[in-house]
Amino acid sequence: MRYVDEYRDPELAHGLTAEIRSLVAPGETVRVMEVCGGHTHAIYRHGLEELLPPEVELVHGPGCPVCVIPMGRVDDAIALAETGGLTLATFGDMLRVPGGRGSLLEAKARGADVRMVYSPLDALTLAGKEPGRHVAFLAIGFETTAPATAVTLLRARAEAVPNFSVFCNHVLIEPPLRAILETPGLRVDAFIGPGHVSSVIGTDAYRFICEEYRRPVVVSAFEPVDLLQSIAMILRQRAEGRCEVENQYTRVVRQEGNERALAAIAKTMEPREDFEWRGLGALPRSGLRIRDAFAAFDAERLFALPDARIEDPKACRCGDVLTGQLRPWECGVFGTACTPERPLGTCMVSSEGACAAFFSYGRLRRPREEASVGA
Ligand code: SF4
């Protein structure tokens, strides 16, 4: 297959749907967590849940990088943006993420110099064009985006750029998965592994899920046929009594990952003692910080940041959505006090957030349901 249409072929999709139906017993429930926000987006966008038998239930996971950023880190970014002579460069998604003091967009409206960029290298270029200002890049994301930040840090050091830094909020995928798997009473039977993260870390990184927690994993690509095939692969494992990490995304993902990308991360960043996650609390060694050798480019060392830990609003159930215990439409403020135009929680901001995806594609098709998918 070479073209995207082939991955959306209705005949292939219906064939896989029939196979999925044949692999479940009437009345049983198989709960499959798609870890990645990109998968959540594709599932709602293409209406894949409507194709599945009622025995297969999809549960959303923590893999949306914008969604997991806690309010305190947003406030730190706002404090940074309000520093005199400083420009904060950020991905567009982060502009509307609510913190305790509003969002970066609101800070920009108050006069802070916040600019949208498409990559950390864009931010470095900006620093070169405006030598009179300091440019700090707000780095977020899992292992997927960390290599680009790493390469930018290497270039900044090689070129001795004096007015550039990174506010590092990169996170790792394994700790939140372990936290979810340790949740008492969690009812998730298998995982659709993230595609983009896996292109960097490889498929071996998920072996602990099979070996320690006895749940099958299938790393998947993002088109409808890919996702249906991944679900069929999971069900086939169950039917055959296997519990393995399998790779559906063979056109991109390798078992060992991308060694050069991993080396760039390891050279420039190291795990923090702990990092606060929205909905999961502080998880040990789950976030990355900049290594001492690159201290001259570390915004957290160059500027005094509040480093506050702020409680989410009481009505916000993003934590439960991110851990698969609640569906978007089950949150009491979904579509009322929380909409993509005025998000209360992070899951309503990025297109990869489960609430934003369901608001955009799913809410008119499917009635609200009372039952929780959690324990
Ligand atoms: Fe969070 Fe809003 Fe979703 Fe509720 S509807 S879980 S507050 S993003």
Side-chain angles (χ1 to χ4, degrees):
M1 288 207 252
R2 286 171 300 156
Y3 305 111
V4 74
D5 284 358
E6 296 168 296
Y7 297 99
R8 298 178 181 179
D9 184 300
E11 262 182 51
L12 280 177
H14 286 303
L16 286 163
T17 306
E19 185 184 355
I20 288 168
R21 285 181 198 282
S22 75
L23 286 167
V24 288
E28 74 167 338
T29 303
V30 184
R31 289 185 175 83
V32 180
M33 174 177 276
E34 87 275 0
V35 174
C36 174
H39 287 150
T40 306
H41 178 89
I43 286 163
Y44 283 136
R45 181 176 178 207
H46 298 288
L48 295 188
E49 283 188 314
E50 321 293 320
L51 293 177
L52 296 174
E55 286 80 10
V56 179
E57 197 172 324
L58 297 178
V59 182
H60 315 309
C64 158
V66 170
C67 304
V68 300
I69 294 288
M71 297 181 84
R73 299 297 283 189
V74 177
D75 281 9
D76 285 348
I78 290 172
L80 197 54
E82 290 174 340
T83 304
L86 186 142
T87 297
L88 185 80
T90 176
F91 296 134
D93 274 357
M94 280 305 296
L95 287 172
R96 294 183 304 118
V97 175
R101 294 182 52 224
S103 65
L104 282 167
L105 206 56
E106 288 165 331
K108 185 177 171 71
R110 289 195 298 268
D113 187 4
V114 180
R115 302 192 210 175
M116 197 184 94
V117 292
Y118 291 100
S119 74
L121 272 176
D122 283 353
L124 187 63
T125 304
L126 189 62
K129 283 183 184 159
E130 303 199 18
R133 297 188 66 78
H134 184 97
V135 176
F137 174 67
L138 173 54
I140 65 152
F142 289 86
E143 290 94 333
T144 321
T145 49
T149 302
V151 167
T152 304
L153 283 166
L154 289 166
R155 184 181 287 190
R157 191 173 71 168
E159 295 176 359
V161 179
N163 62 328
F164 175 76
S165 63
V166 170
F167 176 35
C168 186
N169 293 276
H170 285 299
V171 287
L172 304 170
I173 194 68
E174 181 178 332
L177 288 177
R178 279 192 186 275
I180 287 171
L181 284 158
E182 296 286 346
T183 305
L186 181 81
R187 291 158 69 197
V188 172
D189 301 303
F191 290 85
I192 298 175
H196 297 141
V197 167
S198 305
S199 69
V200 176
I201 66 174
T203 55
D204 273 352
Y206 307 107
R207 283 174 56 180
F208 73 95
I209 299 177
C210 307
E211 291 167 3
E212 297 175 40
Y213 298 96
R214 303 301 303 159
R215 262 81 166 191
V217 181
V218 174
V219 172
S220 179
F222 295 87
E223 292 299 328
V225 167
D226 293 316
L227 282 158
L228 290 172
Q229 186 179 33
S230 299
I231 294 166
M233 288 167 76
I234 284 171
L235 296 176
R236 237 179 277 141
Q237 283 200 39
R238 288 180 83 245
E240 294 167 7
R242 291 183 290 121
C243 183
E244 300 166 6
V245 181
E246 287 187 299
N247 184 8
Q248 186 276 336
Y249 201 6
T250 50
R251 57 191 189 270
V252 169
V253 173
R254 288 182 294 145
Q255 186 179 350
E256 66 279 14
N258 182 328
E259 284 120 346
R260 288 179 69 189
L262 289 169
I265 297 173
K267 194 165 187 178
T268 54
M269 294 173 240
E270 61 188 352
R272 295 171 187 268
E273 223 167 275
D274 65 24
F275 188 80
E276 183 83 10
W277 290 62
R278 194 170 287 234
L280 291 169
L283 299 180
R285 299 181 72 77
S286 64
L288 293 173
R289 68 185 197 119
I290 293 172
R291 284 191 183 276
D292 290 347
F294 294 82
F297 304 100
D298 185 354
E300 284 177 270
R301 299 188 215 207
L302 296 178
F303 303 95
L305 301 178
D307 194 23
R309 295 199 170 173
I310 299 167
E311 294 274 318
D312 289 335
K314 284 214 167 15
C316 174
R317 304 284 306 275
C318 287
D320 293 334
V321 170
L322 288 167
T323 51
Q325 298 183 66
L326 195 80
R327 298 297 200 95
W329 60 91
E330 294 170 333
C331 175
V333 293
F334 176 86
T336 52
C338 186
T339 64
E341 290 75 34
R342 288 200 71 79
L344 184 71
T346 48
C347 298
M348 194 59 96
V349 177
S350 163
S351 63
E352 293 193 359
C355 297
F358 186 75
F359 190 93
S360 299
Y361 301 113
R363 71 198 161 102
L364 300 178
R365 277 206 307 269
R366 187 172 182 138
R368 283 179 179 231
E369 292 173 11
E370 293 303 319
S372 166
V373 295

